[in-house]
């Protein structure tokens, strides 16, 4: 198996090695905010977060739908702290309408992954689900092994070198 094939296989499974993502948002005043949220992901690589309307990141998303997300290897699992495996995406956020069939399917995925607490969230009016649709990405496996993510389905890795 070639290096790119190994990287491609790791890219496909890496998001499921973590349960939460770091999210970067910006307010309408241009003030950045870093936070995190548990997530589920569909086959098209859309990322769903179930968040409180009271949180800063949710308020920011309502005002500015451009979101950066980061999946990152747990510090306790990495071999070198300066080279943690990480996957980032630039995304556009869309609020999902409550109680639609798609919304119910996403809630069921959250419940399967995170348990009964999701039933509590479902009853809270301020909790909402956003779909974060990736438009571009980068996957870093270690020193010298960074890849730009391309393709209609964000399914192609291009090794980054000094030339690209």
């Amino acid at each position: 198996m070639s290096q790119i094939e190994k990287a491609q296989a790791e890219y496909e499974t890496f998001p499921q090695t973590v349960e939460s993502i770091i999210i970067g948002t910006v307010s309408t005043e241009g003030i950045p905010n870093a936070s995190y949220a548990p997530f589920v992901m569909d086959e098209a690589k859309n990322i769903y977060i179930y968040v409180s309307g009271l949180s800063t990141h949710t308020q920011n998303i309502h005002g500015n739908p451009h979101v950066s997300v980061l999946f990152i290897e747990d510090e306790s699992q990495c071999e070198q702290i300066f080279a943690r495996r990480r996957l980032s995406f630039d995304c556009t956020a869309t609020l999902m309408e409550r109680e639609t069939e798609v919304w119910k399917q996403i809630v069921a995925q959250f419940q399967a992954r995170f348990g009964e607490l999701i039933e509590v969230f479902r009853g809270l009016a301020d909790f909402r689900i956003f779909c974060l649709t990736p438009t571009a990405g980068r996957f870093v496996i270690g020193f010298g092994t960074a890849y730009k993510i391309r393709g209609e389905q964000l399914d192609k890795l291009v090794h980054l070198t000094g030339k690209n």
Side-chain angles (χ1 to χ4, degrees):
M1 185 180 280
S2 71
Q3 180 181 350
I4 192 78
E5 289 171 327
K6 288 178 188 174
Q8 188 77 42
E10 190 168 342
Y11 166 64
E12 295 299 327
T13 60
F14 183 67
Q16 296 311 314
T17 67
V18 298
E19 292 186 343
S20 65
I21 53 173
I22 297 169
I23 55 177
T25 60
V26 178
S27 72
T28 54
E29 294 82 24
I31 300 169
N33 175 261
S35 190
Y36 85 98
F39 75 96
V40 295
M41 182 183 255
D42 67 20
E43 289 180 13
K45 295 191 178 48
N46 292 307
I47 303 155
Y48 299 89
I49 56 174
Y50 205 171
V51 292
S52 168
L54 303 175
S55 67
T56 300
H57 54 260
T58 301
Q59 293 172 27
N60 287 352
I61 292 170
H62 279 298
N64 181 349
H66 301 288
V67 178
S68 178
V69 302
L70 176 67
F71 302 76
I72 190 161
E73 180 179 30
D74 187 299
E75 288 180 4
S76 67
Q77 303 297 314
C78 73
E79 292 179 28
Q80 173 47 257
I81 196 68
F82 285 95
R84 288 166 69 188
R85 291 181 307 149
R86 56 203 178 271
L87 170 62
S88 61
F89 286 117
D90 299 329
C91 300
T92 302
T94 306
L95 180 63
M96 297 190 67
E97 187 177 335
R98 287 182 77 94
E99 300 302 329
T100 63
E101 284 306 310
V102 174
W103 184 90
K104 289 176 185 177
Q105 290 171 3
I106 299 303
V107 169
Q109 288 179 31
F110 270 99
Q111 193 153 356
R113 189 163 190 201
F114 300 108
E116 291 304 312
L117 179 62
I118 301 305
E119 261 319 298
V120 174
F121 291 171
R122 192 172 184 167
L124 299 174
D126 73 299
F127 270 77
R128 58 222 42 200
I129 297 174
F130 285 97
C131 174
L132 308 179
T133 303
T135 55
R138 184 171 289 210
F139 184 45
V140 178
I141 299 173
F143 294 119
T145 50
Y147 299 88
K148 185 179 251 184
I149 301 166
R150 298 204 171 179
E152 290 280 321
Q153 287 81 39
L154 295 171
D155 59 348
K156 307 244 185 304
L157 298 182
V158 177
H159 190 238
L160 291 172
T161 64
K163 297 176 184 174
N164 66 355

